[in-house]
Amino acid sequence: MENEALEFDIGLGSGADDDAVDIDIDDDLPSTPPLPLPSSTSTPPTQIYLPEGDLLDLEPYESMEFESEEAAKAFYNSYARRVGFSTRVSSSRRSRRDGAIIQRQFVCAKEGFRNLNEKRTKDREIKRPRVITRVGCKASLSVKMQDSGKWVVSGFVRGHNHELVPLDQVHCLRSHRQISGPAKTLIDTLQAAGMGPRRIMSALIKEYGGISKVGFTEVDCRNYMRNNRQKSMEGDIQLLLDYLRQMHNENPNFFYALQGGDDQFTGNVFWSDPRARANYSYFGDTVTFDTTYRSNRYRLPFAPFTGVNHHGQPVLFGCAFLLNETEASFIWLFQTWLTAMSGHHPVSITTDQDAVISSAIMQVFPETRHRFCKWHIFKKCQEKLSYVLLKHPSFEADCHKCVNLTDSIEEFESCWLSLVDRYELWHHEWLQTIYSDRRQWVPVYLRDAFFAEMSITQRSDSMNSYFDGYVNASTNLSHFFKLYEKAIESRNEKEVKADYDTMNTNPVLKTPSPMEKQASGHYTRKLFARFQEELVGTLTFMASKAEDDGESIMYQVAKFGEDHKAYYVKFNVLEMKARCSCQMFEFSGLLCRHVLAVFRVTNVLTLPSHYILKRWTRNAKSNVILEEHPTDVYNGYLESHTVRYNTLRHEAFKFVDEGSKSLDTYNVAMGALQEATTIVALATKIEGRTSVVNRRNRGDMAGNGIRANYTSGNHLGSSGQILSEKDMDKKIQELRDELEHANRKCEVYRANLLSVLKDIEDHKLQLSIKVQSIKISMKDSI
């Protein structure tokens, strides 16, 4: 046995085979990806060496022979696995004659000490310092080559100065972490099916019967998958770039950008077609950005920018592929997207909960309100608190009620503390994390910002839904753009259908209110249905005056018999502006039933124009200004009458309050009121007579060509005679009446012109719908 040469299968895996002198392989670097073995068609698959039979207890000894240096290395590593330590190559000696290696020393990975004064680390800041693992262990195996070509052990040190690793943990040591051929095949198969490293490791552990029998860690699996992705993506990335260049050549308004450019391409890509860029100019007030949508077999994050159109449908603003999700990548992406959108910052942006994305948004969009997607947080809640849901099925409903149905910050805070206390979750780390971030996802903290949602409790449908049903985890880049184009066509078709329904169907009105009729002519069908729901809801609410500060009146609005749950509306009569404590208008852009209830009791018959956001109207994509709608001539009359009425009533209330304080002020107030009544009645009578006379005078002026001439301060009539003071006043009044008549005719002409413009816009929209329908039918027939 002493003179027998031993042969072993080489199974040290990547990173252990190197001919360089003084090679260090640290077991404290698990995140470093393994180096790939040279590819060769004749090289057999790598196998893990496991001794059998009598070799299980075999120890190295001096004069022990091996067929090669690699066999000696494999044997020592196998011995180290049984004992419980990791190995690495320490030093070598070369022949002066031909430079071939003639001596090797393999040592325990804890041999020697780390050099903290090394030039490459001494003068630079180390962000994540590694744990020191070298403790000066002397255990080693030295081999040298004989003239016969075989290698013999020339030295062996058995003892270690540190504790050895138990057998069930030895697979964590660097030199014993190898991915076998069968394991690689299984990883490749599961990766192609769209599974991530964590799920793949779970499958491997189940397949091999334990983590120690798998032979490597999740970090090794992740690194192997990453190398696979990079190799497989090279061809498909070129297809992606070719597609983007072709689209830009066909239409220069197609925008795309590569991080690093063509010379130093990092793999991060952004693009936005002309329609997406135009959509942003109409609906770019709120944006959703989602990196959780991994839509290809490389697990490459596909990140769309989406918004909400005037029908409440998701609309696309641009897309990106990100090879890495670093802060620098997100900063580049947001800046590039902003350039494509002509530099216009959104009012608000919704993303997944991610510290890196949050940091990038703070730098690129400092004035934009940032919100975390509530739906994703609830989804994570089901994973992080699954044991709580199994034990307490009512927890999910209670959590939903706490987050979505609380009306104030104080109510939410109280409800949250009660929830945590009831289910004994004070020390749950993840729950504490989302609570600390509550200002970025709980609705009561976000209602003062615009997010274009129809209600506080709805899920953000634009998040992760635009491409649903078209791309999935098994979609590769070569097929992606075909499915991407189909998804866009489908979304465009749905918008065309909604436009058609809005323009060619009339909604059913449920009240005689002029406000409902007005809204039906402005809003799209879906938005009008939502507004109508709020308007009808006012019938169950009572609005009562709570306080008056002279400029605004505070109303308490509550359902009949539910005064304990009231909302407060502050209404400025002169400016026709109202603000409700529920903040629905600020959050969604539609007035709530509480404000509408106040409008009802204050005789506001139509919606003030500043409460009709153009982005929710049928003319959202039109250049016709909403406030100059033809029906606004009539609406202006209603509003001006309402303003006069409310202003007088407001002043009258103050007059009554002051006049009723004492008997003396009461008598003075009554006298003034009677005098004012007489004057108003006289003014009303004179106004009626003046209107009749004005009509007659206008007729006479038109027939006789009466003109007023002023020369040298003298007032002359049509015959050249000097007019008396009475005749002068009469002529001035006649001229005023003529000017008023001309102004009224101008208003009519203006209304007619705006009506024509509206008809033209409606006709253009109908033609656009027909063209889109024809295109879709032609594609279907092909």
Side-chain angles (χ1 to χ4, degrees), residues 716-722:
L716 303 177
S718 58
S719 60
Q721 297 177 353
I722 299 176

Side-chain angles (χ1 to χ4, degrees), residues 17 96 99 129 170 193 227 231 241 299 359-360 389 419 482 543 598 600 669 688 702 768 771 781:
D17 187 8
R96 295 181 179 179
V170 75
N227 292 336
K231 292 177 182 177
L241 300 182
R299 306 290 295 168
S359 177
L389 294 172
L419 181 75
K482 294 179 181 178
V598 171
R600 188 188 71 238
S768 175
V771 169
S781 61

Side-chain angles (χ1 to χ4, degrees), residues 66 87 111 150 160 279 340 390 465 633 698 711 734:
F66 300 93
T87 66
E111 179 268 346
K150 294 182 180 181
H160 297 262
N279 281 335
L390 288 173
S465 68
V633 175
R698 280 195 295 269
T711 60
E734 289 174 352

Side-chain angles (χ1 to χ4, degrees), residues 354-523:
D354 186 281
V356 175
I357 295 177
S358 296
S359 177
I361 285 177
M362 288 178 64
Q363 296 178 60
V364 183
F365 306 115
E367 303 300 324
T368 298
R369 192 67 172 272
H370 182 205
R371 175 181 70 164
F372 296 146
C373 178
K374 182 178 61 178
W375 182 82
H376 277 136
I377 289 179
F378 274 121
K379 187 177 180 182
K380 288 181 183 177
C381 182
Q382 294 175 347
E383 300 173 3
K384 303 288 186 179
L385 299 171
S386 56
Y387 69 96
V388 179
L389 294 172
L390 288 173
K391 186 177 180 181
H392 304 285
S394 61
F395 173 79
E396 188 172 8
D398 289 343
C399 185
H400 168 81
K401 181 180 178 181
C402 175
V403 172
N404 291 321
L405 303 182
T406 47
D407 293 319
S408 67
I409 293 175
E410 294 75 16
E411 185 182 356
F412 165 76
E413 294 288 351
S414 175
C415 187
W416 183 270
L417 290 176
S418 176
L419 181 75
V420 171
D421 186 63
R422 185 183 311 130
Y423 295 100
E424 300 180 351
L425 297 171
W426 312 285
H427 304 297
H428 194 282
E429 185 177 349
W430 181 81
L431 210 59
Q432 289 179 350
T433 300
I434 64 169
Y435 176 74
S436 65
D437 290 336
R438 62 193 180 281
R439 289 176 177 81
Q440 288 186 270
W441 67 276
V442 177
V444 291
Y445 293 97
L446 298 163
R447 290 174 180 169
D448 60 335
F450 182 75
F451 285 96
E453 291 188 9
M454 295 302 97
S455 72
I456 300 293
T457 59
Q458 82 171 49
R459 167 193 167 181
S460 178
D461 286 332
S462 61
M463 198 72 165
N464 209 8
S465 68
Y466 191 92
F467 293 96
D468 279 358
Y470 293 92
V471 293
N472 54 53
S474 61
T475 304
N476 57 35
L477 288 181
S478 60
H479 294 153
F480 169 80
F481 278 101
K482 294 179 181 178
L483 300 173
Y484 161 84
E485 290 176 349
K486 285 186 178 181
I488 291 179
E489 282 186 18
S490 175
R491 290 295 179 182
N492 292 344
E493 183 180 354
K494 289 179 179 178
E495 183 177 336
V496 168
K497 178 65 167 59
D499 284 337
Y500 178 85
D501 291 341
T502 296
M503 299 301 297
N504 295 278
T505 60
N506 295 319
V508 177
L509 302 183
K510 298 181 179 180
T511 71
S513 168
M515 187 179 292
E516 184 182 17
K517 182 174 178 60
Q518 173 199 16
S520 69
H522 284 308
Y523 289 129

